[in-house]
Amino acid sequence: MLVPPSANSIAKFAEDFGQRALLTIDTEEEFDWDKPFSATEHGLDHVRHLRSFQEFCENLGISPVYLVDWPITHAPMAQEVLGDAVKRGKAEIGIQLHPWVNPPHEEEVSAHNSYAGNLPPALEREKFVRLRDAITEKFGSAPMVYRAGRYGLGPQTAQLLSDNGIGVDTSVRTGFDYSGDGGADYTRHPLQPYWTGAEHQLLELPLTTVYWGMLRRQGPALQSVIDRVPALRGAMARFGILERIALTPEGVTAEEALRGIDIALDDGLPLLVLSFHSPSLAPGHTPYVTSETGVDTLYEWFREVYAYLGQRGVKPTSVSEIMEHVVLPRGQ
């Protein structure tokens, strides 16, 4: 999963699938993004806003995927709101592993160990299994999709997921490099969904990030240079040379997102994977939403984006629907 797949691993879908959009939510505790990771210093104040967001999604015909971690799984209000949505078939529950808040607490809490894939395999497995079992108990639904917190896949993660009945991963953030503090480098991973492993049992749904501008085809090759010289990023975007656009309301305007959607759809991408962090539903919990105006902007982003997706003939989808339409490799 850490190495870009071969061309013959790209997944194919039934003809009637067309082009669709999946909304994934990193549903997690609140913590200070500027401080070191902590096993205990976090909050859950924003959880009360999940109900309004779920209602908002239902009004737009969206069935979101809530990728929940340990604190959220044990929050009664989250259990009530998300559990009800899952029972009604209006949402799905997946796993998000934040190892620093997930028992057993055997490792040193650090930036390096915040990537679950960096943990000893037995510890990564035990944390995962405890979280999966807790989610199944608290939400009454066995999760079928996984995202490593901080997109922290490791060399043993694919085997771990396959051994535990997880058929879908969505940890790859195409176009981003987290190797600076011990994470994975996804700058050369494809945007298209693809099968991982020799037996093609695990489907990867990369988060959608595209490049826009005169040099967009060279984006993956130039990204490492841009990351080393941050001042280049703004200048290249302003002059229409190169801009990286992730499909998220966090740090990306609706205007930018619509440009990104056009690129992705015109390139024939069958699935757009959108994402954001649940603490952004209330002000002051993430760097992206610092006021009530910021919350309003987030909701308006989704209104504009999904209205445009509708104009382009792109329907909202779910993990279950994706699995129903993906064409299994030969012999399976």
Side-chain angles (χ1 to χ4, degrees), residues 185-206:
D185 179 1
Y186 300 121
T187 52
R188 294 185 178 274
H189 282 64
L191 282 176
Q192 298 95 328
Y194 59 87
W195 298 100
T196 67
E199 297 181 357
H200 291 173
Q201 292 182 331
L202 182 65
L203 181 65
E204 180 64 47
L205 305 179

Side-chain angles (χ1 to χ4, degrees), residues 30-37 41-42 285:
E30 304 137 13
F31 58 94
D32 191 328
W33 290 30
D34 294 324
K35 290 184 178 179
F37 293 95
E41 295 182 12
H42 57 262
H285 299 309

Side-chain angles (χ1 to χ4, degrees), residues 47-317:
V47 170
R48 58 195 173 92
H49 297 281
L50 289 173
R51 189 185 305 276
S52 296
F53 184 74
Q54 176 61 31
E55 292 173 354
F56 172 80
C57 287
E58 291 183 27
N59 288 335
L60 291 181
I62 304 168
S63 180
V65 183
Y66 294 96
L67 299 154
V68 299
D69 70 356
W70 187 267
I72 292 290
T73 298
H74 291 81
M77 185 171 291
Q79 296 167 15
E80 176 188 346
V81 173
L82 304 186
D84 173 68
V86 170
K87 289 176 184 176
R88 292 185 292 108
K90 301 297 184 180
E92 293 174 317
I93 290 288
I95 304 170
Q96 185 192 188
L97 179 54
H98 276 190
W100 62 94
V101 292
N102 199 117
H105 298 287
E106 298 177 2
E107 78 282 13
E108 175 188 1
V109 176
S110 66
H112 181 271
N113 288 336
S114 68
Y115 299 107
N118 288 341
L119 299 175
L123 182 56
E124 180 187 13
R125 181 176 294 268
E126 181 62 22
K127 286 178 180 284
F128 170 88
V129 169
R130 290 198 190 186
L131 178 55
R132 180 206 58 190
D133 291 350
I135 290 171
T136 302
E137 175 191 351
K138 302 296 185 181
F139 294 99
S141 176
M144 59 184 295
V145 57
Y146 175 74
R147 175 172 293 157
R150 305 195 71 211
Y151 319 105
L153 293 174
Q156 302 299 319
T157 309
Q159 189 63 52
L160 165 64
L161 299 181
S162 295
D163 289 348
N164 287 277
I166 303 298
V168 181
D169 179 72
T170 180
S171 303
V172 171
R173 196 179 190 199
T174 302
F176 285 78
D177 181 2
Y178 298 97
S179 62
D181 62 352
D185 179 1
Y186 300 121
T187 52
R188 294 185 178 274
H189 282 64
L191 282 176
Q192 298 95 328
Y194 59 87
W195 298 100
T196 67
E199 297 181 357
H200 291 173
Q201 292 182 331
L202 182 65
L203 181 65
E204 180 64 47
L205 305 179
L207 282 80
T208 303
T209 301
V210 300
Y211 289 96
W212 174 86
M214 291 183 290
L215 297 181
R216 78 179 189 91
R217 296 295 182 188
Q218 288 74 44
L222 294 173
Q223 190 60 55
S224 60
V225 177
I226 296 171
D227 288 341
R228 289 196 297 270
V229 188
L232 276 177
R233 185 179 298 117
M236 294 180 81
R238 282 195 302 274
F239 291 104
I241 299 171
L242 184 66
E243 181 181 7
R244 183 177 63 185
I245 302 174
L247 294 190
T248 174
E250 297 174 323
V252 177
T253 67
E255 180 184 359
E256 292 166 342
L258 299 190
R259 288 206 309 270
I261 288 169
D262 280 338
I263 291 168
L265 296 181
D266 292 346
D267 283 349
L269 189 65
L271 179 68
L272 280 61
V273 181
L274 289 67
S275 69
F276 79 104
H277 300 83
S278 66
S280 287
L281 292 173
H285 299 309
T286 70
Y288 308 108
V289 177
T290 58
S291 65
E292 289 293 346
T293 300
V295 176
D296 293 340
T297 300
L298 181 144
Y299 275 90
E300 184 57 30
W301 189 95
F302 281 112
R303 290 189 189 94
E304 291 187 41
V305 163
Y306 274 92
Y308 189 67
L309 288 170
Q311 292 174 21
R312 291 291 313 257
V314 179
K315 299 178 182 178
T317 191

